[in-house]
Amino acid sequence: MSQHNTEQQARRRFLKHLGIGLATVPLIGLVACGGGSDNNEVADTGSSGDSTDSAGGTGSTGGTGSSTSWATGGTASMTASFPDDSIFATSAACAVALTKAMTEGPCFFAADALDDISEEQVGLPMQLCLRVIDSSCNPVSGLEVEVWHCDVEGIYSGDTTGSSDSRRFSSSFCTGNDADALKSKWFRGYQVTDSSGRVNFKSCFPGWYSSRTIHIHFRVRNNNNDQVISQFCFPDSLTEDICTTHAEYKNHGIQDTTLSSGKDTVFGSNYQDYLFDYQQNSDGSILVYKTIQIS
């Protein structure tokens, strides 16, 4: 076994150990839209399992996301253009529920304004599209939307140099003290919503770590005031496909915490409103998208 693979396995064991330990932290739960942050990502809902699986919201898998056709190699291999706003179309009546806040988690630190947040990391190339609307379903421009997530092995980047807000960042837990992670800012960044209330990021599909289903964190700010901090996730069928068949994910294997088990330490069994819509692009990349509604 190569030294690189040995180090990867050691990091995964380290993160798994920490994840199991933190799973005993008391309930944090959901709060109203616009709530504050918490520097502990892990909460125990005590909910029973839910076997429902869905692509989420009004979106579609597109029927083309087969395990043999997902793209590899990160954002450099992405050729598809970002879709127009029709992906966010809803019924004439405003039916989108206010996005509820969830814990910020211990792996946030303020990052830079970026379109491509991958820092040339490998993985399934991903278009991440988010749209912010108000309580009347009107798009809101001029808001900062920041996202952060882990790499294909479940490790967060940890170079806080120059960050304007890193006081709650738990470097040891989030990076596993991985040398590459400590000198990187991969999978972090923000953009400002346009006239359609929209931001587009280039990234890679996240990996997983113990006690958590695969997820992406986000926060929405208006003049440095938080409007909402929360997380979105992916249906089990999608994560299983990618984690068991994709060349850049299958060595890490299937996640140990599915949504259907009800044991995710943040979502529990109340995850339906937090599922990304998704579909496969013609170039084999994945498009994931979601509307965020603020009060």
Side-chain angles (χ1 to χ4, degrees):
M1 180 179 294
S2 69
Q3 180 180 358
H4 178 67
N5 287 337
T6 301
E7 291 173 349
Q8 287 180 332
Q9 291 185 1
R11 289 200 299 272
R12 290 198 290 270
R13 287 195 297 269
F14 178 83
L15 289 170
K16 183 174 181 180
H17 173 73
L18 284 175
I20 292 172
L22 285 174
T24 60
V25 175
L27 170 69
I28 291 175
L30 298 179
V31 296
C33 180
S37 64
D38 191 302
N39 66 349
N40 191 332
E41 177 169 7
V42 180
D44 186 359
T45 64
S47 302
S48 60
D50 186 340
S51 61
T52 303
D53 192 22
S54 167
T58 59
S60 169
T61 63
T64 59
S66 67
S67 61
T68 58
S69 57
W70 291 117
T72 61
T75 59
S77 67
M78 192 186 306
T79 60
S81 300
F82 281 98
D84 61 34
D85 292 342
S86 63
I87 60 171
F88 298 105
T90 59
S91 61
C94 180
V96 180
L98 289 175
T99 301
K100 294 181 175 63
M102 281 193 168
T103 177
E104 177 186 84
C107 299
F108 169 80
F109 61 84
D112 299 326
L114 293 170
D115 296 319
D116 187 333
I117 62 174
S118 69
E119 285 204 346
E120 301 181 345
Q121 292 295 296
V122 297
L124 168 57
M126 177 176 70
Q127 294 178 334
L128 172 59
C129 302
L130 299 170
R131 186 176 186 235
V132 183
I133 60 175
D134 62 20
S135 57
S136 299
C137 286
N138 297 313
V140 186
S141 62
L143 301 181
E144 289 186 5
V145 179
E146 188 158 9
V147 298
W148 65 102
H149 65 79
C150 61
D151 71 355
V152 298
E153 294 180 356
I155 298 174
Y156 287 88
S157 58
D159 180 8
T160 60
T161 304
S163 174
S164 61
D165 182 4
S166 61
R167 63 190 184 279
R168 296 179 297 278
F169 181 64
S170 177
S171 179
S172 181
F173 169 74
C174 299
T175 69
N177 294 321
D178 176 73
D180 290 334
L182 290 171
K183 61 184 181 183
S184 302
K185 297 181 180 180
W186 64 58
F187 304 125
R188 301 177 181 275
Y190 78 89
Q191 292 183 31
V192 177
T193 56
D194 61 16
S195 59
S196 297
R198 179 172 169 176
V199 292
N200 299 320
F201 296 95
K202 292 181 179 180
S203 190
C204 296
F205 192 81
W208 63 272
Y209 50 95
S210 188
S211 81
R212 291 304 320 275
T213 191
I214 295 176
H215 61 282
I216 294 178
H217 296 263
F218 68 91
R219 73 190 309 146
V220 180
R221 283 176 169 166
N222 183 6
N223 293 323
N224 292 321
N225 295 314
D226 284 325
Q227 302 297 295
V228 66
I229 302 171
S230 195
Q231 307 173 28
F232 290 140
C233 55
F234 303 88
D236 289 343
S237 57
L238 175 66
T239 59
E240 180 178 1
D241 176 36
I242 293 171
C243 290
T244 59
T245 65
H246 193 287
E248 293 160 332
Y249 296 80
K250 64 182 181 181
N251 287 340
H252 192 25
I254 192 169
Q255 58 183 1
D256 69 359
T257 306
T258 60
L259 289 169
S260 60
S261 72
K263 295 180 179 179
D264 179 84
T265 53
V266 171
F267 295 114
S269 59
N270 301 311
Y271 59 83
Q272 292 292 339
D273 290 340
Y274 302 95
L275 286 167
F276 273 113
D277 300 299
Y278 73 94
Q279 62 190 52
Q280 186 179 44
N281 290 320
S282 58
D283 62 358
S285 64
I286 188 169
L287 164 66
V288 301
Y289 53 101
K290 193 74 172 176
T291 295
I292 302 167
Q293 188 176 38
I294 60 176
S295 59

PDB file of all heavy atoms in Angstrom, residues 27-48:
ATOM      1  N   LEU A  27     -29.166  18.138  21.566  1.00  0.00           N
ATOM      2  CA  LEU A  27     -29.988  18.660  20.482  1.00  0.00           C
ATOM      3  C   LEU A  27     -29.759  20.145  20.253  1.00  0.00           C
ATOM      4  O   LEU A  27     -29.724  20.930  21.172  1.00  0.00           O
ATOM      5  CB  LEU A  27     -31.463  18.419  20.834  1.00  0.00           C
ATOM      6  CG  LEU A  27     -32.505  19.093  19.954  1.00  0.00           C
ATOM      7  CD1 LEU A  27     -32.501  18.474  18.577  1.00  0.00           C
ATOM      8  CD2 LEU A  27     -33.876  18.958  20.589  1.00  0.00           C
ATOM      9  N   ILE A  28     -29.604  20.511  18.973  1.00  0.00           N
ATOM     10  CA  ILE A  28     -29.567  21.918  18.581  1.00  0.00           C
ATOM     11  C   ILE A  28     -30.882  22.290  17.925  1.00  0.00           C
ATOM     12  O   ILE A  28     -31.504  23.283  18.255  1.00  0.00           O
ATOM     13  CB  ILE A  28     -28.387  22.191  17.634  1.00  0.00           C
ATOM     14  CG1 ILE A  28     -27.074  22.046  18.414  1.00  0.00           C
ATOM     15  CG2 ILE A  28     -28.481  23.591  17.044  1.00  0.00           C
ATOM     16  CD1 ILE A  28     -25.852  22.176  17.545  1.00  0.00           C
ATOM     17  N   GLY A  29     -31.325  21.485  16.964  1.00  0.00           N
ATOM     18  CA  GLY A  29     -32.649  21.676  16.376  1.00  0.00           C
ATOM     19  C   GLY A  29     -32.730  22.819  15.394  1.00  0.00           C
ATOM     20  O   GLY A  29     -31.781  23.538  15.148  1.00  0.00           O
ATOM     21  N   LEU A  30     -33.931  22.999  14.827  1.00  0.00           N
ATOM     22  CA  LEU A  30     -34.195  24.057  13.867  1.00  0.00           C
ATOM     23  C   LEU A  30     -34.681  25.304  14.578  1.00  0.00           C
ATOM     24  O   LEU A  30     -35.368  25.225  15.579  1.00  0.00           O
ATOM     25  CB  LEU A  30     -35.261  23.604  12.863  1.00  0.00           C
ATOM     26  CG  LEU A  30     -34.916  22.398  11.988  1.00  0.00           C
ATOM     27  CD1 LEU A  30     -36.093  22.092  11.082  1.00  0.00           C
ATOM     28  CD2 LEU A  30     -33.675  22.663  11.164  1.00  0.00           C
ATOM     29  N   VAL A  31     -34.343  26.459  14.003  1.00  0.00           N
ATOM     30  CA  VAL A  31     -34.827  27.726  14.523  1.00  0.00           C
ATOM     31  C   VAL A  31     -35.423  28.507  13.374  1.00  0.00           C
ATOM     32  O   VAL A  31     -35.310  28.135  12.223  1.00  0.00           O
ATOM     33  CB  VAL A  31     -33.693  28.541  15.191  1.00  0.00           C
ATOM     34  CG1 VAL A  31     -33.164  27.802  16.402  1.00  0.00           C
ATOM     35  CG2 VAL A  31     -32.567  28.831  14.217  1.00  0.00           C
ATOM     36  N   ALA A  32     -36.040  29.622  13.691  1.00  0.00           N
ATOM     37  CA  ALA A  32     -36.722  30.408  12.661  1.00  0.00           C
ATOM     38  C   ALA A  32     -35.731  31.015  11.686  1.00  0.00           C
ATOM     39  O   ALA A  32     -34.565  31.211  12.004  1.00  0.00           O
ATOM     40  CB  ALA A  32     -37.542  31.508  13.322  1.00  0.00           C
ATOM     41  N   CYS A  33     -36.217  31.332  10.501  1.00  0.00           N
ATOM     42  CA  CYS A  33     -35.394  31.951   9.475  1.00  0.00           C
ATOM     43  C   CYS A  33     -34.755  33.220  10.008  1.00  0.00           C
ATOM     44  O   CYS A  33     -35.398  34.038  10.646  1.00  0.00           O
ATOM     45  CB  CYS A  33     -36.243  32.278   8.252  1.00  0.00           C
ATOM     46  SG  CYS A  33     -35.321  33.047   6.929  1.00  0.00           S
ATOM     47  N   GLY A  34     -33.451  33.365   9.704  1.00  0.00           N
ATOM     48  CA  GLY A  34     -32.739  34.548  10.156  1.00  0.00           C
ATOM     49  C   GLY A  34     -32.094  34.353  11.498  1.00  0.00           C
ATOM     50  O   GLY A  34     -31.560  35.288  12.078  1.00  0.00           O
ATOM     51  N   GLY A  35     -32.086  33.107  12.019  1.00  0.00           N
ATOM     52  CA  GLY A  35     -31.483  32.845  13.309  1.00  0.00           C
ATOM     53  C   GLY A  35     -29.977  32.950  13.254  1.00  0.00           C
ATOM     54  O   GLY A  35     -29.355  33.024  12.221  1.00  0.00           O
ATOM     55  N   GLY A  36     -29.372  32.904  14.429  1.00  0.00           N
ATOM     56  CA  GLY A  36     -27.936  33.071  14.524  1.00  0.00           C
ATOM     57  C   GLY A  36     -27.208  31.782  14.259  1.00  0.00           C
ATOM     58  O   GLY A  36     -27.753  30.779  13.852  1.00  0.00           O
ATOM     59  N   SER A  37     -25.876  31.798  14.526  1.00  0.00           N
ATOM     60  CA  SER A  37     -25.030  30.660  14.255  1.00  0.00           C
ATOM     61  C   SER A  37     -24.683  29.949  15.546  1.00  0.00           C
ATOM     62  O   SER A  37     -24.869  30.455  16.638  1.00  0.00           O
ATOM     63  CB  SER A  37     -23.738  31.125  13.566  1.00  0.00           C
ATOM     64  OG  SER A  37     -23.005  31.954  14.432  1.00  0.00           O
ATOM     65  N   ASP A  38     -24.133  28.747  15.376  1.00  0.00           N
ATOM     66  CA  ASP A  38     -23.668  27.948  16.487  1.00  0.00           C
ATOM     67  C   ASP A  38     -22.394  27.290  16.039  1.00  0.00           C
ATOM     68  O   ASP A  38     -22.307  26.801  14.931  1.00  0.00           O
ATOM     69  CB  ASP A  38     -24.718  26.893  16.865  1.00  0.00           C
ATOM     70  CG  ASP A  38     -24.399  26.209  18.178  1.00  0.00           C
ATOM     71  OD1 ASP A  38     -23.315  25.624  18.270  1.00  0.00           O
ATOM     72  OD2 ASP A  38     -25.246  26.255  19.085  1.00  0.00           O
ATOM     73  N   ASN A  39     -21.378  27.280  16.881  1.00  0.00           N
ATOM     74  CA  ASN A  39     -20.104  26.763  16.430  1.00  0.00           C
ATOM     75  C   ASN A  39     -19.971  25.267  16.601  1.00  0.00           C
ATOM     76  O   ASN A  39     -18.905  24.720  16.466  1.00  0.00           O
ATOM     77  CB  ASN A  39     -18.949  27.475  17.156  1.00  0.00           C
ATOM     78  CG  ASN A  39     -18.909  27.170  18.639  1.00  0.00           C
ATOM     79  OD1 ASN A  39     -19.852  26.595  19.178  1.00  0.00           O
ATOM     80  ND2 ASN A  39     -17.828  27.568  19.292  1.00  0.00           N
ATOM     81  N   ASN A  40     -21.071  24.588  16.884  1.00  0.00           N
ATOM     82  CA  ASN A  40     -21.031  23.131  16.954  1.00  0.00           C
ATOM     83  C   ASN A  40     -21.974  22.576  15.905  1.00  0.00           C
ATOM     84  O   ASN A  40     -23.175  22.770  15.978  1.00  0.00           O
ATOM     85  CB  ASN A  40     -21.459  22.672  18.358  1.00  0.00           C
ATOM     86  CG  ASN A  40     -21.190  21.205  18.564  1.00  0.00           C
ATOM     87  OD1 ASN A  40     -21.182  20.437  17.607  1.00  0.00           O
ATOM     88  ND2 ASN A  40     -20.969  20.816  19.796  1.00  0.00           N
ATOM     89  N   GLU A  41     -21.436  21.857  14.933  1.00  0.00           N
ATOM     90  CA  GLU A  41     -22.238  21.388  13.823  1.00  0.00           C
ATOM     91  C   GLU A  41     -23.149  20.240  14.203  1.00  0.00           C
ATOM     92  O   GLU A  41     -24.181  20.025  13.601  1.00  0.00           O
ATOM     93  CB  GLU A  41     -21.316  20.950  12.677  1.00  0.00           C
ATOM     94  CG  GLU A  41     -22.078  20.382  11.510  1.00  0.00           C
ATOM     95  CD  GLU A  41     -21.216  20.208  10.303  1.00  0.00           C
ATOM     96  OE1 GLU A  41     -20.022  20.394  10.380  1.00  0.00           O
ATOM     97  OE2 GLU A  41     -21.767  19.878   9.259  1.00  0.00           O
ATOM     98  N   VAL A  42     -22.777  19.475  15.203  1.00  0.00           N
ATOM     99  CA  VAL A  42     -23.438  18.205  15.441  1.00  0.00           C
ATOM    100  C   VAL A  42     -24.565  18.341  16.440  1.00  0.00           C
ATOM    101  O   VAL A  42     -24.415  18.907  17.509  1.00  0.00           O
ATOM    102  CB  VAL A  42     -22.409  17.169  15.938  1.00  0.00           C
ATOM    103  CG1 VAL A  42     -23.068  15.845  16.203  1.00  0.00           C
ATOM    104  CG2 VAL A  42     -21.311  17.006  14.897  1.00  0.00           C
ATOM    105  N   ALA A  43     -25.733  17.810  16.077  1.00  0.00           N
ATOM    106  CA  ALA A  43     -26.880  17.781  16.969  1.00  0.00           C
ATOM    107  C   ALA A  43     -27.544  16.433  16.841  1.00  0.00           C
ATOM    108  O   ALA A  43     -27.521  15.819  15.793  1.00  0.00           O
ATOM    109  CB  ALA A  43     -27.873  18.891  16.616  1.00  0.00           C
ATOM    110  N   ASP A  44     -28.195  15.959  17.883  1.00  0.00           N
ATOM    111  CA  ASP A  44     -28.870  14.670  17.860  1.00  0.00           C
ATOM    112  C   ASP A  44     -30.358  14.911  17.961  1.00  0.00           C
ATOM    113  O   ASP A  44     -30.846  15.386  18.983  1.00  0.00           O
ATOM    114  CB  ASP A  44     -28.366  13.818  19.037  1.00  0.00           C
ATOM    115  CG  ASP A  44     -28.930  12.412  18.987  1.00  0.00           C
ATOM    116  OD1 ASP A  44     -29.711  12.113  18.068  1.00  0.00           O
ATOM    117  OD2 ASP A  44     -28.587  11.623  19.877  1.00  0.00           O
ATOM    118  N   THR A  45     -31.086  14.635  16.900  1.00  0.00           N
ATOM    119  CA  THR A  45     -32.522  14.900  16.897  1.00  0.00           C
ATOM    120  C   THR A  45     -33.318  13.826  17.601  1.00  0.00           C
ATOM    121  O   THR A  45     -34.472  14.033  17.945  1.00  0.00           O
ATOM    122  CB  THR A  45     -33.045  14.997  15.448  1.00  0.00           C
ATOM    123  OG1 THR A  45     -32.880  13.729  14.820  1.00  0.00           O
ATOM    124  CG2 THR A  45     -32.310  16.069  14.675  1.00  0.00           C
ATOM    125  N   GLY A  46     -32.721  12.638  17.733  1.00  0.00           N
ATOM    126  CA  GLY A  46     -33.439  11.542  18.357  1.00  0.00           C
ATOM    127  C   GLY A  46     -34.605  11.056  17.526  1.00  0.00           C
ATOM    128  O   GLY A  46     -35.517  10.413  18.035  1.00  0.00           O
ATOM    129  N   SER A  47     -34.623  11.357  16.244  1.00  0.00           N
ATOM    130  CA  SER A  47     -35.754  11.001  15.389  1.00  0.00           C
ATOM    131  C   SER A  47     -35.616   9.574  14.898  1.00  0.00           C
ATOM    132  O   SER A  47     -34.524   9.038  14.753  1.00  0.00           O
ATOM    133  CB  SER A  47     -35.824  11.942  14.184  1.00  0.00           C
ATOM    134  OG  SER A  47     -35.942  13.271  14.611  1.00  0.00           O
ATOM    135  N   SER A  48     -36.731   8.973  14.589  1.00  0.00           N
ATOM    136  CA  SER A  48     -36.715   7.635  14.013  1.00  0.00           C
ATOM    137  C   SER A  48     -36.427   7.717  12.532  1.00  0.00           C
ATOM    138  O   SER A  48     -36.504   8.765  11.921  1.00  0.00           O
ATOM    139  CB  SER A  48     -38.061   6.949  14.245  1.00  0.00           C
ATOM    140  OG  SER A  48     -39.090   7.694  13.635  1.00  0.00           O
TER     141      SER A  48
END
